[in-house]
């Protein structure tokens, strides 16, 4: 399911930072600045600046639908990593870890389902620390039986230490780097609204 901002689709997200008095660079008087939150989309790891309706209060790690059909949300704007507040940037890794841990099956299935991108490059090679030998070990093991959990992956593939952290590191890299040729986890809008 895509995190489109059409009126019907939900865009589940986790709050990275909440600014009850709006952005610091907003020159309007404090009482005129709307509260806003920075949020991470759970499904496609997109980053959002969510302007909230009056009298709405959130806290970091709250789950919210970052779409216009939500009664709490006045507007939503997709942003890039550099647009996040410092607090949101420091919370990002924790939020990604929480998403990965709460939906372990989805991310273990990445190891089960990853495919070649080109004749010489495989999706598994995009993960930090996974070279040709480790990739081949993963491919051999998954042929025998699909992986059931991160623990199962770590036990069956020698040399693969902490496969969950490897995924978290890749998601962070995809969010921080503008000029990556291949993105596996983060969907980026071609044209910002």
């Amino acid at each position: 399911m895509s995190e489109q901002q059409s009126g019907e689709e939900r865009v589940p997200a986790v709050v990275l930072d909440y600014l009850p008095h709006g952005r610091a660079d907003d020159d309007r008087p404090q009482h005129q600045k709307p509260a806003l939150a920075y949020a991470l989309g759970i499904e496609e790891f997109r980053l959002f600046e969510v302007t909230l309706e009056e009298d709405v209060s959130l806290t970091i790690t709250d789950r919210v639908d970052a779409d216009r059909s939500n009664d709490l949300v006045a507007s939503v704007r997709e942003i890039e990593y550099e647009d996040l507040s410092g607090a949101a940037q420091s919370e990002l890794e924790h939020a990604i870890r929480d998403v990965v841990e709460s939906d372990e099956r989805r991310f273990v299935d990445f190891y089960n389902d990853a495919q070649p991108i080109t004749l010489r490059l495989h999706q598994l090679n995009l993960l930090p620390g996974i070279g040709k030998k480790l990739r081949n070990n993963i491919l051999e093991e998954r042929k025998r039986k699909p992986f059931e959990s991160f623990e199962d992956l770590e036990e069956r593939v020698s040399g693969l230490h902490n496969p969950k952290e490897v995924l978290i590191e890749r998601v962070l890299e995809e969010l921080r780097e503008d000029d990556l040729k291949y993105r596996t986890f983060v969907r980026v809008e071609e044209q910002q609204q």
Side-chain angles (χ1 to χ4, degrees):
M1 182 166 103
S2 177
E3 289 178 340
Q4 293 298 316
Q5 292 183 7
S6 66
E8 296 299 311
E9 289 192 57
R10 291 181 57 237
V11 183
V14 61
V15 175
L16 300 171
D17 192 14
Y18 169 66
L19 295 112
H21 305 295
R23 273 198 305 275
D25 62 357
D26 188 339
D27 292 335
R28 294 180 289 180
Q30 186 170 318
H31 70 279
Q32 290 180 351
K33 295 194 269 186
L36 64 92
Y38 292 105
L40 172 71
I42 291 170
E43 294 171 3
E44 295 175 341
F45 294 106
R46 290 165 50 199
L47 298 170
F48 300 102
E49 180 183 91
V50 180
T51 305
L52 303 168
E53 292 291 352
E54 207 170 312
D55 299 325
V56 172
S57 177
L58 296 172
T59 58
I60 293 173
T61 71
D62 278 353
R63 300 268 172 139
V64 65
D65 286 337
D67 60 67
R68 293 182 193 105
S69 67
N70 187 338
D71 292 342
L72 308 175
V73 174
S75 67
V76 178
R77 181 173 71 99
E78 190 165 338
I79 59 173
E80 294 180 16
Y81 177 80
E82 300 79 38
D83 299 323
L84 291 172
S85 65
Q89 287 180 6
S90 64
E91 187 63 30
L92 188 59
E93 183 175 346
H94 303 292
I96 294 167
R97 179 173 285 103
D98 182 52
V99 170
V100 171
E101 289 173 352
S102 64
D103 196 0
E104 183 173 344
R105 175 87 259 148
R106 168 183 162 198
F107 296 97
V108 169
D109 280 345
F110 170 77
Y111 285 98
N112 287 325
D113 302 333
Q115 297 295 314
I117 297 171
T118 67
L119 289 174
R120 294 178 182 222
L121 182 65
H122 197 281
Q123 282 182 313
L124 291 169
N125 292 121
L126 298 177
L127 299 177
I130 296 188
K132 188 176 178 181
K133 183 178 177 188
L134 197 48
R135 177 201 65 207
N136 290 341
N137 289 348
I138 294 168
L139 294 175
E140 283 302 313
E141 276 300 318
R142 80 179 193 188
K143 276 184 202 172
R144 293 185 186 125
K145 179 184 165 198
F147 300 109
E148 298 294 323
S149 65
F150 288 126
E151 189 178 325
D152 182 33
L153 247 161
E154 203 166 349
E155 287 173 7
R156 290 173 44 201
V157 180
S158 67
L160 181 60
H161 305 291
N162 215 338
K164 175 175 53 175
E165 292 300 318
V166 170
L167 288 174
I168 292 167
E169 211 175 306
R170 177 61 191 186
V171 173
L172 274 167
E173 182 182 2
E174 289 184 21
L175 284 167
R176 289 177 178 151
E177 302 296 324
D178 286 337
D179 57 351
L180 286 179
K181 186 171 182 177
Y182 301 107
R183 293 180 190 276
T184 301
F185 301 101
V186 178
R187 190 175 76 86
V188 178
E189 288 286 316
E190 292 300 317
Q191 191 96 15
Q192 298 281 326
Q193 294 181 0

